[in-house]
mmCIF file of all heavy atoms in Angstrom:
data_model
loop_
_atom_site.group_PDB
_atom_site.id
_atom_site.type_symbol
_atom_site.label_atom_id
_atom_site.label_comp_id
_atom_site.label_asym_id
_atom_site.label_seq_id
_atom_site.Cartn_x
_atom_site.Cartn_y
_atom_site.Cartn_z
ATOM 1 N N HIS X 385 -9.414 10.377 -2.518
ATOM 2 C CA HIS X 385 -10.275 9.399 -1.846
ATOM 3 C C HIS X 385 -10.108 9.615 -0.344
ATOM 4 O O HIS X 385 -9.142 9.149 0.256
ATOM 5 C CB HIS X 385 -9.876 7.976 -2.252
ATOM 6 C CG HIS X 385 -10.917 6.957 -1.935
ATOM 7 N ND1 HIS X 385 -12.157 6.940 -2.529
ATOM 8 C CD2 HIS X 385 -10.910 5.919 -1.069
ATOM 9 C CE1 HIS X 385 -12.863 5.935 -2.065
ATOM 10 N NE2 HIS X 385 -12.135 5.294 -1.170
ATOM 11 N N TRP X 386 -11.070 10.310 0.255
ATOM 12 C CA TRP X 386 -10.917 10.699 1.658
ATOM 13 C C TRP X 386 -12.269 10.660 2.365
ATOM 14 O O TRP X 386 -13.325 10.645 1.747
ATOM 15 C CB TRP X 386 -10.281 12.086 1.770
ATOM 16 C CG TRP X 386 -11.057 13.229 1.164
ATOM 17 C CD1 TRP X 386 -12.314 13.193 0.618
ATOM 18 C CD2 TRP X 386 -10.624 14.591 1.050
ATOM 19 N NE1 TRP X 386 -12.693 14.434 0.173
ATOM 20 C CE2 TRP X 386 -11.682 15.313 0.418
ATOM 21 C CE3 TRP X 386 -9.481 15.267 1.415
ATOM 22 C CZ2 TRP X 386 -11.598 16.669 0.151
ATOM 23 C CZ3 TRP X 386 -9.393 16.623 1.140
ATOM 24 C CH2 TRP X 386 -10.438 17.312 0.522
ATOM 25 N N GLY X 387 -12.231 10.647 3.680
ATOM 26 C CA GLY X 387 -13.440 10.726 4.482
ATOM 27 C C GLY X 387 -14.181 9.405 4.574
ATOM 28 O O GLY X 387 -13.899 8.443 3.863
ATOM 29 N N PRO X 388 -15.184 9.336 5.468
ATOM 30 C CA PRO X 388 -15.922 8.094 5.697
ATOM 31 C C PRO X 388 -16.918 7.799 4.581
ATOM 32 O O PRO X 388 -17.182 8.633 3.707
ATOM 33 C CB PRO X 388 -16.648 8.373 7.018
ATOM 34 C CG PRO X 388 -16.837 9.864 7.026
ATOM 35 C CD PRO X 388 -15.613 10.435 6.362
ATOM 36 N N ASN X 389 -17.482 6.602 4.628
ATOM 37 C CA ASN X 389 -18.482 6.199 3.630
ATOM 38 C C ASN X 389 -19.810 6.912 3.826
ATOM 39 O O ASN X 389 -20.547 7.125 2.855
ATOM 40 C CB ASN X 389 -18.708 4.690 3.686
ATOM 41 C CG ASN X 389 -17.517 3.881 3.219
ATOM 42 O OD1 ASN X 389 -17.343 2.743 3.603
ATOM 43 N ND2 ASN X 389 -16.666 4.470 2.392
ATOM 44 N N TRP X 390 -20.138 7.241 5.058
ATOM 45 C CA TRP X 390 -21.434 7.845 5.359
ATOM 46 C C TRP X 390 -21.221 9.061 6.256
ATOM 47 O O TRP X 390 -20.417 9.025 7.182
ATOM 48 C CB TRP X 390 -22.348 6.845 6.059
ATOM 49 C CG TRP X 390 -22.496 5.538 5.321
ATOM 50 C CD1 TRP X 390 -21.891 4.357 5.633
ATOM 51 C CD2 TRP X 390 -23.272 5.292 4.142
ATOM 52 N NE1 TRP X 390 -22.243 3.385 4.726
ATOM 53 C CE2 TRP X 390 -23.099 3.924 3.800
ATOM 54 C CE3 TRP X 390 -24.104 6.082 3.345
ATOM 55 C CZ2 TRP X 390 -23.713 3.341 2.701
ATOM 56 C CZ3 TRP X 390 -24.723 5.491 2.243
ATOM 57 C CH2 TRP X 390 -24.534 4.140 1.935
ATOM 58 N N GLY X 391 -21.941 10.117 5.991
ATOM 59 C CA GLY X 391 -21.839 11.322 6.809
ATOM 60 C C GLY X 391 -21.567 12.549 5.969
ATOM 61 O O GLY X 391 -20.952 12.468 4.895
ATOM 62 N N TYR X 392 -22.017 13.708 6.487
ATOM 63 C CA TYR X 392 -21.936 14.949 5.718
ATOM 64 C C TYR X 392 -20.849 15.911 6.208
ATOM 65 O O TYR X 392 -20.561 16.895 5.536
ATOM 66 C CB TYR X 392 -23.286 15.680 5.753
ATOM 67 C CG TYR X 392 -24.394 14.930 5.059
ATOM 68 C CD1 TYR X 392 -25.343 14.213 5.784
ATOM 69 C CD2 TYR X 392 -24.497 14.938 3.671
ATOM 70 C CE1 TYR X 392 -26.374 13.527 5.147
ATOM 71 C CE2 TYR X 392 -25.522 14.255 3.018
ATOM 72 C CZ TYR X 392 -26.456 13.550 3.764
ATOM 73 O OH TYR X 392 -27.457 12.861 3.128
ATOM 74 N N ASP X 393 -20.266 15.636 7.348
ATOM 75 C CA ASP X 393 -19.310 16.583 7.918
ATOM 76 C C ASP X 393 -18.099 16.750 7.007
ATOM 77 O O ASP X 393 -17.549 15.774 6.490
ATOM 78 C CB ASP X 393 -18.841 16.121 9.295
ATOM 79 C CG ASP X 393 -19.944 16.235 10.345
ATOM 80 O OD1 ASP X 393 -20.912 16.981 10.090
ATOM 81 O OD2 ASP X 393 -19.839 15.579 11.399
ATOM 82 N N VAL X 394 -17.693 17.999 6.823
ATOM 83 C CA VAL X 394 -16.451 18.336 6.135
ATOM 84 C C VAL X 394 -15.492 18.858 7.187
ATOM 85 O O VAL X 394 -15.784 19.853 7.864
ATOM 86 C CB VAL X 394 -16.681 19.392 5.033
ATOM 87 C CG1 VAL X 394 -15.360 19.818 4.418
ATOM 88 C CG2 VAL X 394 -17.632 18.856 3.965
ATOM 89 N N THR X 395 -14.367 18.210 7.353
ATOM 90 C CA THR X 395 -13.426 18.612 8.395
ATOM 91 C C THR X 395 -12.677 19.876 7.981
ATOM 92 O O THR X 395 -12.560 20.208 6.798
ATOM 93 C CB THR X 395 -12.423 17.498 8.684
ATOM 94 O OG1 THR X 395 -11.561 17.338 7.541
ATOM 95 C CG2 THR X 395 -13.130 16.183 8.981
ATOM 96 N N ALA X 396 -12.145 20.564 8.993
ATOM 97 C CA ALA X 396 -11.345 21.753 8.712
ATOM 98 C C ALA X 396 -10.107 21.392 7.896
ATOM 99 O O ALA X 396 -9.671 22.165 7.028
ATOM 100 C CB ALA X 396 -10.943 22.422 10.028
ATOM 101 N N GLY X 397 -9.535 20.211 8.158
ATOM 102 C CA GLY X 397 -8.364 19.784 7.398
ATOM 103 C C GLY X 397 -8.672 19.551 5.938
ATOM 104 O O GLY X 397 -7.880 19.904 5.056
#
Side-chain angles (χ1 to χ4, degrees):
H385 196 65
W386 62 6
N389 292 155
W390 307 103
Y392 295 102
D393 290 341
V394 175
T395 68

